[in-house]
Amino acid sequence: MIFSWESFVEAVTLTSIQYPQLRVAYLSQCILESGRGSSFLFGVAGNPTGIKWRPELQGFAARKFLVTPTEPLGAEWCFWDKP
C-alpha cells in the first residue's frame, strides 16, 4: 500500500478546496469505489476513485499501466504516491 486510508481521509479533510461542502460527496465516492481503501487500485496506485489516465491529468497524476479485475487486458490508470 502506497499510503493508508486514514492518511488519505486526513488529507481530504485538511486540504483547502473552493467548495468545502463537496468533501462529503468526494469521500462518499471514494468509500464506494475503493471499499474504504481496500481495493487493488487504491493499494497499488493510490487511486481511490478508479480514474483512468488521460492527457489533461498531466501534472496532477502520474500514469501507470495495470491489469485490474475490471481491465483484465490492462489499462493506464492515474497514480498518486501521496494523499
Side-chain angles (χ1 to χ4, degrees):
M1 182 171 294
I2 296 172
F3 48 83
S4 70
W5 174 254
E6 292 77 17
S7 65
F8 171 73
V9 171
E10 182 179 11
V12 171
T13 303
L14 298 175
T15 299
S16 177
I17 59 173
Q18 186 175 359
Y19 301 103
Q21 65 272 27
L22 293 180
R23 274 193 185 96
V24 172
Y26 178 66
L27 279 173
S28 297
Q29 184 66 27
C30 293
I31 289 167
L32 178 67
E33 290 286 339
S34 75
R36 286 187 168 81
S38 65
S39 72
F40 172 79
L41 202 52
F42 183 81
V44 300
N47 188 333
T49 53
I51 297 175
K52 288 185 179 171
W53 170 260
R54 48 188 197 274
E56 58 267 26
L57 291 166
Q58 182 70 38
F60 297 101
R63 173 189 317 194
K64 186 167 186 165
F65 184 85
L66 293 168
V67 173
T68 66
T70 59
E71 292 288 348
L73 300 177
E76 289 188 326
W77 298 92
C78 288
F79 171 84
W80 288 277
D81 62 357
K82 61 182 186 254

